[in-house]
Amino acid sequence: MAVLDLKRKLTILSDAAKHDASCASSGGEKRNSLGGRGVGSTEGMGICHAYAPDGRCISLLKILLTNFCIYDCAYCVNRVSSNTPRARFSVEEVVDLTLGFYKRNYIEGLFLSSGIIQSADYTMEALVRVARTLRQAHDFRGYIHLKLIPEASPELVAEAGLWADRVSINIELPRDESLAALAPEKDLSGIKRSMGKVRLAIDEAGAPARKAAAPRYAPAGQSTQMIVGADEASDGEILARSATLYGAYGLRRVYYSAFSPIPDAAAALPPTRPPLMREHRLYQADWLMRFYGFEREEIAGPGENLDLAVDPKLAWALRNRAAFPVDLNAADRERLLRVPGLGVKSVDKLIEVRRYKRLRLEDVKRAAPSLEKLKPFIVVEDWTPGGLTDRADLRARLSPPPEQLSLF
Amino acid sequence: MRLVRLASEIDFDGWRRAARALRTACVPPEDVVWTVDGEGDLFAAGEPAPEAGAPAFTAPRDFVELAQNAILHRSDERLALMYRVLWRLGTEPCLMRIVTDPDVARLRELAKNVDKAAHKMKAFVRFRLVSDPDQPETYAAWFEPAHRVTEKVAPFFARRFANMRFSILTPDVCVHWDGERLGVSPGADPADAPARDSLEDYWRTYYASIFNPARLNVAQMQKEMPKRYWRNLPEARLIPELIEAAENRTAAMVAQPPSEPTRRIVRQAARVSRDATFDATVPTTLDEVRGGVQVCRRCELYRDATQGVAGEGAKSARLMLVGEQPGDQEDLEGQPFVGPAGKVLDRALEAAGIPREETFVTNAVKHFRHELRGKRRLHKTPDASHVAACRWWLDAERAIVRPRVIVALGATAALSVFGRPMPIGKTRQQALQLPDQAQGVVTYHPSYLLRVPDADAKAKALALFVEDLKFAWKLAG
């Protein structure tokens, strides 16, 4: 086999990693390199060091250790049956690239994943070795996110959590049957069992120490990713699966990744343009469930899809007009959070201000950026929407003009 | 007209001294002109500001914090705006809380822009290695911050790169870290920083490869990485060509015919699917039960549960304890009775003098049935249909372990063990004959004991429970 130079390997192995949506470098413990031997700090807030023309944040050096893989997942560019070029980094190459990029302030740290080679343990051991080398040999105190191989032994999974800030295992697809059909070698119950173990380890490490403190475990928590649009699952099903995952495994995030065309696609899964707007709506719905007190059933029933033209909160308000208008001077926080156009920050600002004065439109305008969207749903000192709330054409008035939807 | 001269654009202490004196002397905001040393002498005729005496008032801490940030903004209005808010605080003590007041909103906006500029500086500074073989590893960067945040952000870089020497050069000011302390020098010129770095080519390679052309979204990129920063970002020069090629690359991927997998792969897939087939013959070992519940699809509970939890304990135990179903903890760990109810059971077994390792502990239903309440999974009693579907596994465990006595803990377990509902209060403390030669005993579920509200009743219930366990243990002889 021809020996690839480092730049060629970097091209192949970052291209192979780009379908993983996670790039977070936030959360976890605060630390810096004062008093140490190396470089690195994490101070709670993630930093996006660059943005690619796809608008996505580049925070971490996101690469695969290798894109050789013995699995044949139809949605994946690295599946064994794909004719994509292959490469493999050595542990030292990843360590050197990470430190070189970090010292030039290109990145917050490393997000390392891998195709499965030889066995789950063999692969996991190599991932852990990179993290261990960075932490021990170089006293690297930047961010590390490691992908866990679900079938790897518990000792390796435990060691991964010792070095990494975050660990993740991808659930991949919203339906169990789809995973069996499209990723025949992946074992869903193995994935869930590993997520369960990770949660127990994180809970234990975070519990107030009684006798001996439990070993450190992934202080920035665990996350997962679901591919959207590769199977027939409805948005309602996807959100139900997310809710289950958040509840069972205490995930920090479920990432939704619009199924994106890959070079050399499999016959089982022909390439299409990624459903980006659908992905966006799912994130909005996910937020409503986690921070705005919405139940999943209120947003989308089991077989239902989200409205692509308007955001899910506005869609809910249009279906439930009897709940509006809301008097911003009187309503409690839960009700304010349900007003389309009011975010958590805006709501908190309004609640603070109304302790000192009656809210008027000019106050609302300074606290919330989208006043026009709000007006049909609110009452303040100098404004009532009159019949506006119940107008038949309200949806059309509040939908963005069609050209903005050219985002697919 | 009063004239105030500050020592520099970001001289907050000077501003504070002057503002304190002005307000103490009751000079209204419209009578003050704020300038910075070195600026034009347009108002040279103005009366100098009064000397500061003892402060006659205090400013709220959130004002001071906001003003310390706002003074770093490049806008000329900031100094007067800060004083106007301070002035108004004299008669409106809660002003800072009214974030929709025009002055407060503007001050907050300035401070927010400064915070954003500081954050972007943390993100977009690009160090280059200073090639001097006689020096220890040293880096330098040229950067143009949107606001005057260099000194504010410098400690962040010192914490992050504590063991590295570096300089950040900007048009306003330069900061230098020698491994021990931060030094400051006057503003510099782009030519004072190194012109290139050998790793930048690798960084551009990464930037181009991590970009997904099928998701092109230039507006979003520019919102987060405004063009004003591009000239000092080595990767930014790739942006036009990446955008231009994106549409063709995407169209080519969508248009390509799917590739056929090789024969080797097809054969391998067939083998895997054959090996994974669940074989529905009755399990004859506990390992088969353990493996079987993992792939069991006899009811829908597997969907939302983590794993099937099979029974555990002595292979030929005299006493089998059957609970209802695994809880949150059991679902995650894969073992029965390890959560709160398990702790109660352990205590009761100890009180009854029964070693748990000599018993076999299992559940009527092997998957955790629950409902979500916010982010928490709350126990939900399994339906009769779940119990019926799962009897397959309990019956297998009974046939393999062959216990002399089976204790049904609670109503669900009793339904499974006896095949019909049993009133616990009336049937406890009785030996009931089961068809498979075993004797059945009915008692409460340990989690019932957890829910008894007052301490007295709880102690009583626990005593009854221990009594029942003793009865069963004796029966198992």
Side-chain angles (χ1 to χ4, degrees):
Chain A
M1 195 193 300
V3 177
L4 299 175
D5 73 356
L6 187 62
K7 214 175 276 178
R8 180 79 185 126
K9 285 187 189 178
L10 182 59
T11 306
I12 294 171
L13 293 171
S14 49
D15 189 82
K18 73 179 163 207
H19 296 285
D20 209 305
S22 168
C23 204
S25 55
S26 56
E29 56 190 15
K30 292 190 176 180
R31 55 172 191 262
N32 59 51
S33 51
L34 291 167
R37 294 176 286 121
V39 293
S41 61
T42 57
E43 304 198 341
M45 203 203 254
I47 299 175
C48 295
H49 284 270
Y51 287 81
D54 49 23
R56 288 178 140 185
C57 151
I58 300 176
S59 179
L60 305 172
L61 173 61
K62 182 161 56 179
I63 47 176
L64 300 191
L65 193 59
T66 175
N67 67 338
F68 287 102
C69 190
I70 56 176
Y71 286 6
D72 196 33
C73 308
Y75 49 80
C76 182
V77 65
N78 306 314
R79 68 189 187 285
V80 64
S81 59
S82 141
N83 302 311
T84 198
R86 306 282 171 171
R88 181 179 174 178
F89 278 130
S90 70
V91 168
E92 291 70 31
E93 284 169 335
V94 176
V95 168
D96 289 349
L97 265 178
T98 305
L99 292 174
F101 278 12
Y102 197 91
K103 286 179 176 176
R104 285 156 183 81
N105 204 41
Y106 301 160
I107 53 169
E108 285 296 287
L110 175 68
F111 177 2
L112 189 62
S113 180
S114 182
I116 312 289
I117 42 172
Q118 295 193 23
S119 70
D121 274 357
Y122 180 88
T123 310
M124 194 70 233
E125 203 279 326
L127 295 178
V128 167
R129 191 140 40 91
V130 171
R132 189 199 306 131
T133 309
L134 278 168
R135 293 284 193 234
Q136 288 196 318
H138 300 278
D139 194 14
F140 176 67
R141 299 184 184 181
Y143 197 88
I144 297 180
H145 179 161
L146 286 184
K147 188 63 72 183
L148 296 183
I149 314 293
E151 298 80 16
S153 69
E155 295 74 38
L156 286 170
V157 170
E159 196 185 344
L162 186 62
W163 309 125
D165 292 282
R166 172 169 288 187
V167 294
S168 63
I169 306 168
N170 287 352
I171 196 90
E172 306 292 15
L173 293 162
R175 281 187 180 166
D176 300 359
E177 309 81 64
S178 321
L179 193 72
L182 297 176
E185 294 87 354
K186 290 210 176 185
D187 164 25
L188 183 70
S189 62
I191 291 174
K192 291 203 271 189
R193 278 200 301 277
S194 298
M195 286 179 154
K197 273 196 210 110
V198 169
R199 180 188 147 182
L200 289 171
I202 291 172
D203 284 357
E204 200 179 328
R210 281 185 213 103
K211 288 174 195 155
R216 173 190 190 274
Y217 202 94
Q222 68 169 328
S223 61
T224 193
Q225 168 168 300
M226 224 187 304
I227 302 168
V228 175
D231 67 3
E232 301 297 313
S234 67
D235 292 343
E237 272 179 87
I238 291 172
L239 292 171
R241 162 118 312 173
S242 296
T244 305
L245 292 170
Y246 280 120
Y249 311 117
L251 299 177
R252 291 292 177 93
R253 281 287 290 278
V254 173
Y255 288 93
Y256 304 98
S257 177
F259 178 62
S260 192
I262 48 175
D264 199 40
L269 210 54
T272 53
R273 294 196 176 260
L276 295 182
M277 184 49 89
R278 186 176 176 205
E279 177 193 283
H280 181 58
R281 295 287 182 237
L282 282 168
Y283 276 119
Q284 289 177 317
D286 186 286
W287 242 250
L288 291 183
M289 281 161 32
R290 290 194 296 142
F291 305 116
Y292 288 80
F294 281 81
E295 294 294 332
R296 200 256 311 155
E297 294 79 5
E298 296 179 282
I299 302 168
E304 285 172 10
N305 282 316
L306 297 168
D307 191 333
L308 292 182
V310 296
D311 70 76
K313 200 189 202 186
L314 178 56
W316 177 85
L318 290 169
R319 286 197 304 272
N320 295 277
R321 298 199 199 184
F324 296 97
V326 168
D327 184 351
L328 298 191
N329 279 302
D332 58 19
R333 190 166 187 275
E334 284 68 36
R335 290 203 66 194
L336 293 182
L337 284 171
R338 288 183 172 244
V339 176
L342 286 186
V344 173
K345 274 189 192 163
S346 303
V347 165
D348 290 341
K349 275 185 192 172
L350 292 174
I351 290 174
E352 179 74 11
V353 172
R354 74 185 187 186
R355 293 169 59 200
Y356 300 96
K357 61 173 290 204
R358 298 282 296 169
L359 294 173
R360 306 175 65 82
L361 268 190
E362 55 174 16
D363 295 303
V364 181
K365 194 175 163 188
R366 289 198 196 93
S370 44
L371 185 65
E372 286 312 309
K373 185 177 168 186
L374 269 167
K375 278 165 94 174
F377 300 105
I378 59 168
V379 168
V380 285
E381 193 70 1
D382 55 348
W383 167 259
T384 56
L388 190 55
T389 315
D390 297 313
R391 280 181 68 127
D393 64 347
L394 185 58
R395 184 177 189 281
R397 286 170 155 240
L398 294 172
S399 303
E403 64 267 17
Q404 283 191 11
L405 289 175
S406 65
L407 210 70
F408 306 122
Chain B
M1 207 44 94
R2 303 294 188 110
L3 180 69
V4 183
R5 274 181 194 286
L6 300 184
S8 79
E9 295 282 0
I10 59 171
D11 176 17
F12 184 76
D13 288 339
W15 179 89
R16 178 161 35 193
R17 263 195 313 276
R20 193 183 276 157
L22 288 164
R23 207 185 105 179
T24 307
C26 292
V27 182
E30 51 275 21
D31 289 352
V32 186
V33 174
W34 298 86
T35 63
V36 170
D37 246 0
E39 283 183 359
D41 276 352
L42 218 53
F43 299 98
E47 196 182 334
E51 285 300 306
F57 61 93
T58 55
R61 178 194 300 236
D62 45 3
F63 168 76
V64 177
E65 282 170 7
L66 213 54
Q68 275 172 330
N69 246 353
I71 198 170
L72 306 181
H73 201 282
R74 290 197 193 274
S75 103
D76 290 334
E77 69 181 301
R78 70 196 190 286
L79 301 172
L81 174 66
M82 284 154 59
Y83 183 58
R84 192 158 66 242
V85 173
L86 181 70
W87 175 261
R88 288 182 57 196
L89 277 166
T91 50
E92 302 166 73
C94 294
L95 182 62
M96 296 314 293
R97 311 248 74 94
I98 304 172
V99 294
T100 58
D101 174 273
D103 283 340
V104 177
R106 179 68 186 145
L107 191 62
R108 287 172 63 101
E109 191 186 347
L110 295 185
K112 195 174 153 192
N113 289 341
V114 166
D115 271 337
K116 196 169 163 200
H119 187 73
K120 293 299 181 193
M121 181 168 180
K122 293 175 187 174
F124 297 150
V125 161
R126 297 285 183 262
F127 285 115
R128 287 170 168 162
L129 187 62
V130 179
S131 43
D132 184 348
D134 300 334
Q135 293 286 320
E137 198 180 12
T138 303
Y139 292 84
W142 168 255
F143 187 72
E144 294 167 88
H147 298 289
R148 298 181 182 98
V149 294
T150 307
E151 284 121 306
K152 177 184 160 83
V153 178
F156 163 84
F157 284 103
R159 290 192 297 275
R160 170 159 289 196
F161 301 112
N163 304 296
M164 194 172 106
R165 285 150 202 272
F166 67 82
S167 297
I168 301 174
L169 315 180
T170 82
D172 311 309
V173 64
C174 301
V175 290
H176 313 273
W177 173 254
D178 61 3
E180 277 167 21
R181 47 177 292 279
L182 275 168
V184 179
S185 65
D189 188 84
D192 299 333
R196 59 190 61 80
D197 184 290
S198 61
L199 226 61
E200 284 181 358
D201 244 5
Y202 288 85
W203 173 238
R204 275 189 287 268
T205 299
Y206 176 67
Y207 183 78
S209 308
I210 204 73
F211 162 55
N212 182 351
R215 300 181 60 105
L216 186 68
N217 187 345
V218 179
Q220 177 68 16
M221 169 188 66
Q222 250 165 252
K223 184 175 155 233
E224 300 293 348
M225 195 167 79
K227 272 191 163 161
R228 62 182 313 285
Y229 291 106
W230 288 15
R231 62 173 174 271
N232 296 319
L233 293 170
E235 65 274 21
R237 73 158 108 113
L238 296 180
I239 293 171
E241 53 183 287
L242 288 175
I243 293 174
E244 203 185 305
E247 180 51 37
N248 283 340
R249 287 173 67 192
T250 310
M253 280 191 285
V254 173
Q256 71 184 338
S259 73
E260 290 303 321
T262 61
R263 292 244 314 279
R264 183 176 66 80
I265 298 306
V266 173
R267 274 204 307 276
Q268 188 187 333
R271 195 165 59 239
V272 167
S273 67
R274 187 196 59 217
D275 292 351
T277 312
F278 169 56
D279 181 356
T281 54
V282 179
T284 54
T285 68
L286 291 174
D287 279 342
E288 280 174 32
V289 174
R290 206 166 298 123
V293 297
Q294 281 325 322
V295 293
C296 178
R297 302 286 183 270
R298 301 174 68 89
C299 75
E300 78 289 353
L301 291 186
Y302 75 92
R303 256 175 210 287
D304 291 339
T306 300
Q307 53 193 320
V309 180
E312 257 185 20
K315 234 177 272 171
S316 45
R318 285 176 289 156
L319 185 68
M320 178 183 271
L321 298 159
V322 181
E324 182 193 62
Q325 63 162 359
D328 184 69
Q329 202 78 2
E330 287 82 6
D331 172 75
L332 297 173
E333 294 202 25
Q335 293 174 299
F337 283 101
V338 291
K343 303 249 153 51
V344 175
L345 179 64
D346 284 347
R347 267 207 310 277
L349 285 173
E350 203 187 326
I354 308 171
R356 179 165 165 171
E357 64 278 8
E358 287 182 27
T359 67
F360 188 88
V361 180
T362 187
N363 281 301
V365 172
K366 309 297 190 211
H367 281 104
F368 176 33
R369 186 177 197 219
H370 59 272
E371 60 187 352
L372 286 168
R373 194 64 54 77
K375 275 198 188 183
R376 292 181 49 216
R377 301 194 294 178
L378 296 185
H379 164 276
K380 196 173 175 190
T381 306
D383 290 344
S385 67
H386 303 125
V387 173
C390 221
R391 269 192 74 161
W392 165 270
W393 298 113
L394 182 62
D395 285 352
E397 287 174 328
R398 282 165 69 170
I400 296 163
V401 178
R402 301 183 65 78
R404 288 187 203 167
V405 174
I406 300 176
V407 181
L409 305 167
T412 305
L415 176 64
S416 179
V417 171
F418 298 95
R420 60 191 151 86
M422 305 285 280
I424 294 174
K426 280 189 204 157
T427 42
R428 53 178 288 271
Q429 290 284 334
Q430 294 175 29
L432 305 159
Q433 191 59 45
L434 287 163
D436 56 355
Q437 311 297 313
Q439 311 246 48
V441 172
V442 178
T443 185
Y444 305 100
H445 193 279
S447 65
Y448 159 75
L449 304 177
L450 284 171
R451 288 194 301 269
V452 177
D454 82 288
D456 268 4
K458 196 173 236 163
K460 252 181 226 158
L462 183 67
L464 290 182
F465 184 53
V466 171
E467 209 175 283
D468 289 352
L469 291 175
K470 276 185 184 161
F471 171 76
W473 185 239
K474 202 170 156 205
L475 199 63

